[in-house]
Amino acid sequence: MKKIFIATVLLAGNFYWAQFTDINIVKEVKVKNKGVVVSAHPLASEAGAKVLKMGGNAYDAIIATQYALAVVYPQAGNIGGGGFLVGVKNTGEKFTLDYRETAPKKASRDMYIDKTGKANTDLSQNGRLAVGIPGSIAGFFATLKYGKLPMDKIIQPAIDLAEQGFAITEKEADMLNTHKESFQKHNSSSIIFVKNTPWKAGDILVQKELAETLKLIQKLGAKGFYEGKTAALLVAEMKRGNGIITIEDLKNYKVAERKALEFDYKGNKVVSMPLPSSGGVLLAQMLRMASFENLEKYQQNSTPAVQIMVEAERRAYADRAEYMGDPDFITDKTNYLISDEYLKGRWKSFSFNKATPSSEVGKIINQPKESTETTHISVIDKEGNAASVTTTLNGYYGSKVMVSGAGFFLNNEMDDFSIKPGVPNMFGAVGGEANSIQPNKRMLSSMTPTILLKDGKPFMVVGTPGGTTIPTSVYQSIVDIVDFKLNANISVNAPKFHHQWLPETVTVENNFPESTIADLKTKNYVVEKVKLIGKTEMIVIDTNGNIQAVADGRGDDSVAVE
């Protein structure tokens, strides 16, 4: 347990408001008959737990945590982005909410192609033209019907955090300092995140404009964001540059409620997100292909286990590029892609003797290095309701554009479209026609919020940030628990690996076993070390109802208990 305490109060008029400076980072809890929240920031997890204590359920807690993350974790927590929710109620009902951003009405297939026919990825990744229509607020209100409390109570912890201020951690200070020049470049007026001296741990961050935006939502509901003052400020921000989102775009945004993607894995029911998230489909493909080789015979991160899992990843990600996109715009081939008939055919070329060249499963295209920027929340309440949510602005701080007068960052999610078939996005993912840009279309995602059921009850709630590394990290988490019989703490904090078809490279964390790396290289694998892969938030519930909740040790991630 890590504790940061700074005794500070803020003089505001004639009132003394205690700021949020007592920050407890809790990495693991073991409880029973209690609700737990795991997220990327201790104050956000505590906001969710506070709502549970008020009589709310898992879905109320999920909303409260997301609002709080928009305040205390602005690099990925958001109201200007979007996400996916997978829920399993204690009645057995399963549901998903797709509040992924959509392309504006004025978007077009070649909007990022210059006169020479070259894709301009700077325009799709930075500034106002990179912004998709935000879905988060609509998603929070769609979640509300599964909760027990009114929105005005659920949103209040986030308002308090924004209005009264909180002490930032060392990691947050480093992030703000690193992105100072980008903030200055992409904002025409000064923003709260830019100051003359460097940020440092313990500095108090107060966000008055964001607090006022949240109060409008508290008072007016979703219309407080998609109509009226906030919508006008967002559209005015678009007009300061080359942005194309209109008042009509905002007013017409709709959440999509989709049928959960369900499949069996070794006696467990896996419930995950369907398209336009590629995560659930990839997860089903990878788990099923790996099961052909009896993974349970091996140990975590051993050479044969890694080889089996990497080759399953290679084949699944090749299919991602060719077949996956918004199911409202393409023929959804999920059932075929996850069928045993198809996957057994895909697996015929697997060999323990050597790596399968990626050229055998798709056309080779040079790739940039990938980034890892998203955030995840796992929640279960004492009544047995479970929720797994992954949400994002895409890149760190999204487009780097803050809505002047409203205090929140806008996403750069348009980069998740295939801006030109064969051209990789910022995470190195290649896309084809299935993920081309069209007005009102949802861009393909890698987010993989997932819940496992055993005998009909939640057994595991899991997810992670990490761009295209998300599905492979969730895949490894499930294998760790189900096949290797490891506990949640070991699974979450063990060194991870990742492969995505292109580039040919297998990336591993710096502390990955050297013996396995050496063995892989003898089998023609190219291995590259990286600092970290993902930040997994995991809850595991045993048959006696004992809960183990673990927050990833790679960041300020934290668990809070009801």
Side-chain angles (χ1 to χ4, degrees):
M1 182 184 296
K2 179 179 178 183
K3 185 172 182 178
I4 302 171
F5 177 78
I6 303 147
T8 311
V9 293
L10 173 67
L11 182 63
N14 295 322
F15 299 95
Y16 285 94
W17 285 350
Q19 294 175 323
F20 294 87
T21 54
D22 188 3
I23 299 175
N24 292 282
I25 297 176
V26 180
K27 290 301 181 184
E28 179 180 4
V29 298
K30 294 180 180 180
V31 295
K32 190 172 184 178
N33 299 321
K34 291 279 189 180
V36 294
V37 181
V38 195
S39 82
H41 196 284
L43 291 175
S45 295
E46 288 168 13
K50 181 177 182 179
V51 166
L52 290 175
K53 291 174 184 175
M54 291 165 55
N57 65 11
Y59 311 110
D60 298 312
I62 276 285
I63 299 169
T65 306
Q66 288 176 101
Y67 275 126
L69 283 170
V71 179
V72 301
Y73 197 70
Q75 59 264 47
N78 68 84
I79 60 172
F84 298 102
L85 180 150
V86 173
V88 177
K89 297 174 66 176
N90 59 7
T91 60
E93 179 186 350
K94 308 171 189 75
F95 66 97
T96 75
L97 297 175
D98 168 3
Y99 43 100
R100 182 70 160 155
E101 301 90 332
T102 57
K105 187 176 181 180
K106 293 180 181 178
S108 61
R109 184 183 186 279
D110 297 328
M111 63 188 287
Y112 301 114
I113 308 301
D114 65 21
K115 293 179 180 179
T116 67
K118 183 180 179 181
N120 186 341
T121 54
D122 181 59
L123 288 178
S124 68
Q125 294 173 12
N126 300 294
R128 294 160 185 82
L129 192 62
V131 183
I133 303 166
S136 289
I137 295 299
F140 301 167
F141 278 91
T143 308
L144 192 64
K145 74 177 183 179
Y146 297 97
K148 296 166 67 177
L149 299 179
M151 186 64 85
D152 64 336
K153 292 186 181 297
I154 297 170
I155 199 173
Q156 189 62 49
I159 293 173
D160 293 341
L161 286 163
E163 194 164 46
Q164 298 173 29
F166 64 96
I168 66 172
T169 66
E170 183 178 353
K171 288 183 174 64
E172 291 162 350
D174 290 343
M175 286 287 296
L176 291 172
N177 293 331
T178 299
H179 289 85
K180 179 179 179 179
E181 289 186 8
S182 293
F183 296 154
Q184 292 172 320
K185 178 180 178 181
H186 295 292
N187 290 277
S188 55
S189 58
S190 61
I191 65 174
I192 191 67
F193 296 101
V194 174
K195 63 190 190 79
N196 294 330
T197 57
W199 291 93
K200 63 184 183 300
D203 282 350
I204 303 299
L205 178 60
V206 178
Q207 299 171 76
K208 292 291 188 182
E209 289 184 350
L210 179 56
E212 291 306 311
T213 297
L214 295 174
K215 286 178 181 179
L216 283 174
I217 297 167
Q218 184 182 46
K219 180 180 179 181
L220 303 173
K223 289 183 177 181
F225 183 86
Y226 291 100
E227 300 179 32
K229 179 182 176 181
T230 303
L233 288 171
L234 196 159
V235 172
E237 192 61 61
M238 291 290 102
K239 292 178 179 178
R240 291 189 184 93
N242 50 7
I244 56 175
I245 293 176
T246 65
I247 291 289
E248 182 184 11
D249 285 327
L250 293 169
K251 192 173 182 178
N252 291 337
Y253 180 86
K254 296 289 188 295
V255 172
E257 297 194 29
R258 304 190 186 277
K259 187 178 185 298
L261 176 59
E262 300 178 46
F263 60 94
D264 292 316
Y265 184 66
K266 299 187 176 180
N268 302 282
K269 174 73 74 175
V270 181
V271 185
S272 195
M273 197 69 209
L275 293 176
S277 172
S278 65
V281 184
L282 292 173
L283 191 60
Q285 288 188 301
M286 294 184 297
L287 286 169
R288 285 184 164 173
M289 281 189 277
S291 69
F292 299 150
E293 301 295 335
N294 298 317
L295 266 175
E296 65 273 9
K297 295 192 305 184
Y298 305 105
Q299 292 183 337
Q300 181 194 47
N301 290 341
S302 64
T303 301
V306 173
Q307 190 176 5
I308 291 165
M309 295 176 74
V310 161
E311 293 301 339
E313 292 169 359
R314 188 192 308 272
R315 289 156 176 78
Y317 276 78
D319 287 344
R320 182 191 194 275
E322 184 172 356
Y323 296 112
M324 299 183 201
D326 186 339
D328 297 332
F329 286 76
I330 65 168
T331 300
D332 187 347
K333 297 185 178 181
T334 295
N335 290 337
Y336 173 66
L337 292 173
I338 67 174
S339 67
D340 281 348
E341 178 186 7
Y342 175 74
L343 295 174
K344 284 178 179 177
R346 279 301 244 165
W347 199 246
K348 283 182 179 178
S349 58
F350 171 77
S351 170
F352 277 113
N353 296 324
K354 62 178 182 177
T356 304
S358 286
S359 58
E360 292 186 7
V361 292
K363 182 181 176 182
I364 294 293
I365 303 166
N366 290 330
Q367 304 285 285
K369 291 183 179 179
E370 63 190 48
S371 302
T372 56
E373 300 124 8
T374 313
T375 191
H376 180 83
I377 312 164
S378 293
V379 177
I380 191 162
D381 63 30
K382 63 185 178 185
E383 297 170 347
N385 300 295
S388 183
V389 172
T390 313
T391 181
T392 188
L393 288 167
N394 200 28
Y396 280 132
Y397 305 101
S399 61
K400 315 301 186 294
V401 176
M402 174 170 279
V403 178
S404 182
F408 63 91
F409 283 108
L410 292 167
N411 67 83
N412 62 340
E413 213 66 69
M414 293 296 288
D415 187 61
D416 271 1
F417 281 117
S418 174
I419 64 173
K420 182 179 180 181
V423 174
N425 69 5
M426 70 187 298
F427 300 105
V430 175
E433 292 297 334
N435 191 38
S436 61
I437 302 171
Q438 294 181 53
N440 303 313
K441 188 177 183 181
R442 286 167 156 83
M443 56 291 291
L444 188 63
S445 171
S446 293
M447 292 184 276
T448 317
T450 300
I451 299 172
L452 268 66
L453 307 178
K454 183 176 288 184
D455 299 326
K457 295 182 179 180
F459 160 57
M460 182 180 181
V461 185
V462 65
T464 182
T468 46
T469 71
I470 293 173
T472 60
S473 290
V474 174
Y475 168 43
Q476 288 167 59
S477 297
I478 293 172
V479 168
D480 285 345
I481 302 297
V482 174
D483 292 277
F484 301 148
K485 311 299 182 187
L486 302 175
N487 66 39
N489 196 317
I490 293 174
S491 173
V492 166
N493 292 301
K496 290 184 171 60
F497 61 91
H498 169 75
H499 182 62
Q500 61 180 56
W501 172 52
L502 297 176
E504 197 89 30
T505 305
V506 178
T507 53
V508 301
E509 291 186 307
N510 286 332
N511 57 340
F512 201 77
E514 291 293 339
S515 59
T516 301
I517 293 173
D519 287 345
L520 291 172
K521 288 181 177 178
T522 67
K523 298 174 184 290
N524 298 330
Y525 288 93
V526 178
V527 182
E528 177 182 314
K529 291 184 178 181
V530 296
K531 184 178 179 181
L532 62 84
I533 297 174
K535 295 176 183 175
T536 306
E537 321 294 6
M538 184 186 293
I539 301 170
V540 175
I541 309 99
D542 70 16
T543 54
N544 294 318
N546 298 303
I547 298 170
Q548 182 186 19
V550 177
D552 202 300
R554 294 167 178 83
D556 292 329
D557 309 55
S558 187
V559 184
V561 182
E562 178 182 1

